[in-house]
Amino acid sequence: MVKDKKTTERIIIFDTTLRDGEQSPGATMNVDEKVKVALQLARLNVDVIEAGFPISSPGDFEAVQEIAKRVEGPVICGLARTAREDIDRVKLALKHAAMRRIHTFVGTSDVHIKKKLQKRTAEVIKMATEAVKRAKDFTDDVEFSPEDASRTKFDFLCEIVEKAIAAGATTVNIPDTVGYSTPVEFGDLIKRLIRTVPNSRKAIISVHCHNDLGLATANSIAAVINGARQVECTINGLGERAGNASLEEIVMTIHTRHDLLPYITNIAKHEIYRTSRLVSAITGINVQPNKAIVGRNAFAHEAGIHQDGILKDKRTYEIMDAQTIGLPRSTFVLGKHSGRHAFVEKLRELGYELSPADLNRAFLRFKEIADRKKEMSDLDIQSVIEDEIMDIPEKFHLESVNVMCGGRVKATAMIEMRDGENLIEKSAIGVGPVDAVYQCIKKITKVPNKLVDFSVKSVTGGIDAIGEVMIRMADEKGKVFTGHGASLDIVEASAKAYVNAINKLVHWRKTHPGNHRDHPEL
C-alpha cells in the first residue's frame, strides 16, 4: 500500500534495546544501567520503550519497575508470554507507569506449534486471545505478536491476527523472527495481511525484523511502504544472533529519502549519536567502524578527491549532515592550557550536562591527559567522560599501576588499590604486562572470575592517541560483565577496565541475588 507522496504519516518507533537488544551475548545490563539507557531513549523521544521481560528474572522485573517509575514521555512496555503468570508479572512491574503497554506473544509457525509448543492451532488461538483479554483488563494498550510470523502459514496468520484484534489488541506485530524474509516478500506479506484481515484497520500493524541475512532495515522499510505504521528496532542494531533492525538506520532512511518515504517520526535526531555511544559504552559492544549512520567512518573522508569535493560542497560525498544526528563537527581543539570554562563549553557543545562532582573528576582527568597530549579531539573528550562518569559504586579503586617488562625480564606488575578505606599493595608476575596486572588485581580483589574477551582500540589516530579497552569477564556461574577503561597508557586502560568489570560483578551480587532465566526472542 504505497501512500500518495503528498501524504505525511507518522511512523511509531518502538525501541527494544533493553529487551531484545540485551539478549546480545555479553550485553546484559544491571538496573542502574538500564534506567540510564531508558532516560536517554526518552531524550531521543522514542514512542515506546520495551523495558524488559519481567518474569524472566528478579533483576529484569526490578528494571522494568524502576523505568516505569522514573522515565516520563514514552509508553513503557513489558513483554509476556501468553501464560497468566507472565501477564500478571508485567502488570505489577508497570503499575506506576503513566503510559503502559503489555506485549504478549506466542509462536505460530508449524515448527513452533508442533515442536516447541506441542499444541494444536485451535489451542494456540485460544492462548493468544485469552492473553490479550487478560492484558486488556489492565491497560487499553495491548500488543500481540505471532512469533515467527514470516514462516507462518498465511491463512492461519490471518486468522490469529483477526482474533487477537477482536479480543482487544491495539497493535499487532509481525516478526521476521529468524531474519529469513526478503524485502519484496516481506512487504507483500504486510500488504496482503492488511487487505485480507477484515478488522486490520482497528489496530496498528507493526514489524520486528532480525538481521540474520543483513536485511532487517530493508525489510522494515518495505513493510512501512506497504502499510506498517510501527517499527520495532534497537540502538546500534543490537539483538539476538545478528541483531535487529537498527533504529538509526530506520529513522535516517525515512528522513533522508522523504521523496520516496513520505513519513515522519518523533525522534530527536540530534540525540542519535549520543545514544549510540551510551549503549556501546554500557554494553561493551563496539560499533563497527563502517556501521551506517553511527560508525566511526560514517562521516569520515580520507581520499584526496573526496576531501576536495567536501570542501567545495558537502553534497558531493555526503547525503546527510553529520550534525543532524548530533555528531560533533567543531574544529575547536582543547589542550593543556585550556581552562575550566572552555572545558565546560566544550562539554555543552558535545551534549553533556555534568553534576559539579562529575565535572571536577572529568576536568582533572582531562588536564592529566592534556599534559601529555598535544591536542584533545572531541572523541578524546567523549572517551574521558565515559571513563570517568559512567560507572557504578566502587568497592575497589585503582590508585596506581607500575609494570616492569621487556627482554629477559619477566613482566612484573605492582599495584596500589583501595578497598573502601584500606590501601592494598600487591605485586605479581605474568606472561606479559597486561597478564601481570590482571594477576595482581585478582590477588587484591579475591573475586573469582574468568576473562572471556579483551579488545583494545585507539580513540583517535597518532602515537599519542587515547587507548580504549573493553573486556568481558564471567563469574563462576557464567554470568558476563563488561568493563571499560581509557588512558594514554594501554596497560593502565587495561587495569581500569578490569577493575570496572569487577566492581560491576560485586555490585550485581549485592543488589541482584536472583539468576537470569533465558529470554525468549521475537
Side-chain angles (χ1 to χ4, degrees), residues 467-486:
E468 277 190 333
V469 173
M470 295 278 193
I471 72 158
R472 294 191 183 94
M473 67 161 60
D475 64 9
E476 310 100 303
K477 297 181 179 179
K479 182 170 180 58
V480 176
F481 299 84
T482 62
H484 171 271

Side-chain angles (χ1 to χ4, degrees), residues 94-302:
L94 294 180
K95 182 172 63 174
H96 299 289
M99 296 189 294
R100 55 208 184 189
R101 175 183 297 187
I102 294 180
H103 180 191
T104 185
F105 72 98
V106 68
T108 54
S109 65
D110 282 350
V111 68
H112 278 250
I113 293 173
K114 295 175 182 178
K115 301 298 182 179
K116 186 177 78 171
L117 299 175
Q118 298 181 347
K119 302 282 186 182
R120 297 189 304 272
T121 55
E123 293 177 288
V124 173
I125 290 175
K126 183 179 179 183
M127 291 165 63
T129 55
E130 288 183 351
V132 170
K133 289 176 182 177
R134 187 169 185 81
K136 197 75 173 180
D137 289 338
F138 173 71
T139 176
D140 290 332
D141 193 348
V142 177
E143 179 170 335
F144 170 70
S145 289
E147 187 181 9
D148 205 17
S150 59
R151 296 193 297 171
T152 297
K153 290 179 180 176
F154 184 72
D155 289 345
F156 179 62
L157 181 63
C158 290
E159 182 182 3
I160 198 168
V161 166
E162 179 183 355
K163 290 184 177 177
I165 294 172
T170 50
T171 299
V172 174
N173 177 51
I174 307 301
D176 184 24
T177 300
V178 291
Y180 182 72
S181 201
T182 61
V184 172
E185 177 186 38
F186 196 63
D188 184 62
L189 172 63
I190 299 302
K191 178 169 62 178
R192 289 173 60 210
L193 186 75
I194 292 172
R195 288 178 176 176
T196 305
V197 175
N199 59 356
S200 65
R201 301 294 177 180
K202 294 182 179 180
I204 293 168
I205 301 301
S206 172
V207 290
H208 179 128
C209 298
H210 277 263
N211 206 40
D212 297 69
L213 294 176
L215 297 172
T217 295
N219 285 339
S220 299
I221 294 298
V224 167
I225 290 171
N226 285 279
R229 290 297 175 263
Q230 176 178 283
V231 176
E232 306 196 358
C233 44
T234 61
I235 302 299
N236 299 335
L238 284 179
E240 194 71 41
R241 303 183 314 279
N244 291 273
S246 162
L247 180 147
E248 56 273 12
E249 292 174 14
I250 297 294
V251 170
M252 292 309 294
T253 298
I254 291 172
H255 172 76
T256 304
R257 294 310 309 272
H258 193 70
D259 56 329
L260 297 178
L261 302 166
Y263 314 110
I264 59 172
T265 71
N266 279 342
I267 295 298
K269 291 180 281 294
H270 63 279
E271 292 285 349
I272 287 176
Y273 185 69
R274 182 179 178 184
T275 310
S276 169
R277 291 279 296 182
L278 176 69
V279 171
S280 179
I282 284 179
T283 61
I285 297 177
N286 294 326
V287 175
Q288 67 192 63
N290 62 332
K291 165 74 170 67
I293 317 300
V294 293
R296 187 177 66 226
N297 297 340
F299 292 93
H301 305 274
E302 184 175 349

Side-chain angles (χ1 to χ4, degrees), residues 402 404 411-416 424-430 435-444:
N402 291 287
M404 294 185 297
T412 304
M414 292 160 284
I415 290 180
E416 288 185 337
I424 304 171
E425 299 177 72
K426 293 285 184 181
S427 63
I429 295 173
D435 182 56
V437 165
Y438 282 17
Q439 294 299 331
C440 196
I441 292 172
K442 280 185 177 180
K443 278 187 179 181
I444 294 173

Side-chain angles (χ1 to χ4, degrees), residues 314-438:
K314 288 183 179 180
R315 293 172 299 176
T316 53
Y317 292 104
E318 286 189 358
I319 61 172
M320 295 170 282
D321 186 341
Q323 291 182 342
T324 301
I325 66 165
L327 183 66
R329 300 287 285 175
S330 174
T331 57
F332 183 30
V333 177
L334 294 183
K336 66 179 182 180
H337 298 297
S338 299
R340 188 183 185 89
H341 180 71
F343 183 70
V344 171
E345 286 300 310
K346 171 56 73 174
L347 292 186
R348 287 175 180 164
E349 180 185 327
L350 296 177
Y352 294 105
E353 293 286 345
L354 306 187
S355 68
D358 285 339
L359 178 60
N360 285 335
R361 290 168 57 197
F363 184 66
L364 288 173
R365 181 64 175 154
F366 157 73
K367 294 293 282 187
E368 177 189 339
I369 295 174
D371 275 336
R372 293 181 281 163
K373 198 177 193 298
K374 290 183 179 180
E375 296 180 350
M376 291 284 284
S377 72
D378 291 344
L379 291 175
D380 287 331
I381 294 167
Q382 287 174 327
S383 182
V384 168
I385 297 303
E386 289 171 2
D387 191 38
E388 289 301 313
I389 70 171
M390 288 178 55
D391 55 9
I392 46 103
E394 286 189 327
K395 174 175 172 57
F396 301 103
H397 178 75
L398 188 67
E399 290 286 347
S400 68
V401 178
N402 291 287
V403 176
M404 294 185 297
C405 61
R408 296 181 180 179
V409 177
K410 291 184 178 180
T412 304
M414 292 160 284
I415 290 180
E416 288 185 337
M417 288 179 62
R418 288 197 179 275
D419 180 354
E421 296 298 321
N422 299 321
L423 182 65
I424 304 171
E425 299 177 72
K426 293 285 184 181
S427 63
I429 295 173
V431 296
V434 173
D435 182 56
V437 165
Y438 282 17

